[in-house]
Amino acid sequence: PLTVWLHHAAVLLSAAGLSSFLEVLSKNVALAMSSCKKQGVVLQSTEQMQRLAQIKQTFFSKTGVLTKGVLTLAEVYTVEGVEQQQVLQLALLPQQHLTTAVSEALRAAVNRQTELTAENVLFTQGRGVSYLCDGQQILCGSRVFLEQNGVSTATFPEVSLYVAVGTRAIGAIRFTDTLRAESVKAVQLLKLHGVQSHVLTSDNAKTAQAVAEKCGANGFYANLTPEEKQQQIAQWNKQEKCAFVGDSQTDTAALQAAYVGVAVPYDSTYNTIRDDSSVFAFARAFVIAAKSRQFLLLSAVLMAVVLVALLALGYLHILDMWLIVLIKSIAVCVLSFSADSGASGSSAAQKRGQAQ
């Protein structure tokens, strides 16, 4: 009969009325993105939030990200007959007009002027610099850099910077940097939610290991150039979805290679997430995104079950039309309340994290 078919059609239209359900999901996503923004992490799209929620590995650049990036001269080692100030001057000479962490630390340590000049300066990013001074070749850089140029550093301990004149290493310089307190909390929070953390750095293995151990990271990769960082990220991305938190100026390639790139500080020229505050803000944003994604998936499954059940019960005349609409409305209200509760819970957790 016509009345039966009209009843069936009404049931179908009512059960399939997903507009209110979709509004709940949109509301949850908007709340999650707003919560991330309040923490200083700006997600440029819902796609970025979904990407963030799926990461299984996180790689952190060391200097200026996990650490404060303000280096302090700790010790200068020299060979016999060479003064410490001479080693410091030769290390500073090719980068005296730069504003890097290393040049600032050297500039603060040099206590006398020099008339020496650097010529034919050639930087190898992530490794070191070579130049000519009074007709002699000077090398300043990592142990790997000097050894690649045929200079042995075996007489010195493992440090960040070595200085060689010709084929002879004459000095080594050790710097110290301060680990951010937020770095430890970030790694712990990620680990609590099943995400492993690794340290990537151009620094030596000894320093990288120390930072990784203090943070509680799962591992470290040392003596890396920016290109090698990119290769490491790309290789891991083939196995699992990875995030990389790095410097917006020196880690461009690695940021772009990661499934999720987090630039510190933010630079709009990169397709990255913005992190103005700390690496802990990134960790909190991941938790928010992961909970939001979990809510979306569970909501979709539960709503599908409810709609199918109502459709079947209505079609078989087991439930009246008004009861079907009522049950569906209650289900949507429950999901909406859950979305609000989840957002409030995330905000409260974030405030507790800030207080700690």
Side-chain angles (χ1 to χ4, degrees), residues 110-286:
V110 172
N111 57 25
R112 66 188 185 196
Q113 299 293 324
T114 179
E115 296 181 357
L116 297 174
T117 58
E119 300 177 342
N120 299 334
V121 179
L122 179 62
F123 285 93
T124 302
Q125 194 172 24
R127 286 282 188 257
V129 57
S130 64
Y131 67 97
L132 293 179
C133 180
D134 283 347
Q136 292 184 303
Q137 184 185 44
I138 311 297
L139 299 173
C140 302
S142 66
R143 182 187 293 271
V144 173
F145 179 69
L146 265 66
E147 290 178 349
Q148 286 177 342
N149 285 273
V151 179
S152 173
T153 58
T155 57
F156 294 104
E158 189 169 17
V159 296
S160 302
L161 185 64
Y162 298 86
V163 177
V165 177
T167 58
R168 181 193 180 206
I170 65 167
I173 305 171
R174 184 169 66 86
F175 300 100
T176 58
D177 197 357
T178 304
L179 186 70
R180 297 179 188 271
E182 295 87 353
S183 299
V184 178
K185 295 193 291 184
V187 171
Q188 291 175 346
L189 183 59
L190 291 171
K191 186 179 293 186
L192 184 65
H193 289 82
V195 178
Q196 294 189 345
S197 300
H198 306 270
V199 179
L200 298 186
T201 180
S202 60
D203 213 336
N204 62 81
K206 183 178 180 180
T207 301
Q209 182 178 6
V211 171
E213 290 177 349
K214 289 180 181 178
C215 286
N218 297 88
F220 65 90
Y221 299 86
N223 297 308
L224 299 178
T225 64
E227 292 75 18
E228 289 171 338
K229 284 185 180 181
Q230 177 191 21
Q231 293 168 4
Q232 189 68 53
I233 295 297
Q235 182 179 353
W236 272 98
N237 257 337
K238 293 178 182 178
Q239 303 173 30
E240 290 184 299
K241 294 179 174 66
C242 299
F244 175 66
V245 186
D247 183 86
S248 60
Q249 296 181 345
T250 60
D251 294 321
T252 311
L255 286 167
Q256 294 176 342
Y259 187 69
V260 174
V262 185
V264 184
Y266 171 71
D267 189 319
S268 60
T269 59
Y270 308 140
N271 183 23
T272 59
I273 291 174
R274 176 178 179 176
D275 188 340
D276 284 334
S277 51
S278 70
V279 291
F280 189 39
F282 156 72
R284 289 195 299 263
F286 161 74

Side-chain angles (χ1 to χ4, degrees), residues 258-327:
Y259 187 69
V260 174
V262 185
V264 184
Y266 171 71
D267 189 319
S268 60
T269 59
Y270 308 140
N271 183 23
T272 59
I273 291 174
R274 176 178 179 176
D275 188 340
D276 284 334
S277 51
S278 70
V279 291
F280 189 39
F282 156 72
R284 289 195 299 263
F286 161 74
V287 174
I288 294 170
K291 287 183 176 179
S292 175
R293 185 170 186 269
Q294 184 180 36
F295 173 82
L296 295 179
L297 294 175
L298 288 175
S299 298
V301 172
L302 291 174
M303 202 61 188
V305 171
V306 170
L307 291 178
V308 169
L310 291 178
L311 178 62
L313 294 173
Y315 193 82
L316 297 173
H317 292 275
I318 297 175
L319 291 180
D320 291 333
M321 187 63 193
W322 68 270
L323 192 55
I324 292 174
V325 174
L326 177 62
I327 294 174

